[in-house]
Amino acid sequence: QVQANEYLEDSGIGTHVEDPAAGPTLATVSLMQPVQLTLQEAVDGKPKPTDLRDPEDCLKVLLEPRSLLVLEGASREKFAHGIRQARRVPLRDGAILRRGKDYRRISLTF
């Protein structure tokens, strides 16, 4: 089973933990343009409530075009992940990508 998501302009996906029924390992291939994914500690298999969550207490991961992200073990079970609605994506070289009207990213999750 494959899930495809399209992200345009500054769209994102809320912080979540995948349903355990999806299996012990998740793999996501990123296509087209980069984006920053965040990982935050989960509690009992769910994201911390928003009022208890520090938005800066997270691991930020740059998902570049043609990259593969694999979540399994602790990263799959003990952390929630999401993509913030943001217009700016910090790149490895220190530059900033501005997500404008022509921004498009596709993710394929297995």
Side-chain angles (χ1 to χ4, degrees), residues 42-60:
V43 177
D44 297 324
K46 297 179 183 173
K48 284 184 181 178
T50 305
D51 58 334
L52 299 178
R53 195 182 314 156
D54 176 353
E56 295 307 315
D57 184 18
C58 63
L59 176 65
K60 297 174 182 175

Side-chain angles (χ1 to χ4, degrees), residues 31-83:
L31 303 172
M32 303 188 79
Q33 293 185 286
V35 77
Q36 190 176 70
L37 175 119
T38 60
L39 289 166
Q40 293 183 313
E41 185 179 11
V43 177
D44 297 324
K46 297 179 183 173
K48 284 184 181 178
T50 305
D51 58 334
L52 299 178
R53 195 182 314 156
D54 176 353
E56 295 307 315
D57 184 18
C58 63
L59 176 65
K60 297 174 182 175
V61 180
L62 178 63
L63 302 179
E64 297 185 273
R66 299 179 311 275
S67 65
L68 174 67
L69 172 74
V70 177
L71 298 176
E72 62 183 359
S75 66
R76 164 80 171 89
E77 300 162 7
K78 299 191 184 297
F79 288 85
H81 60 277
I83 294 173

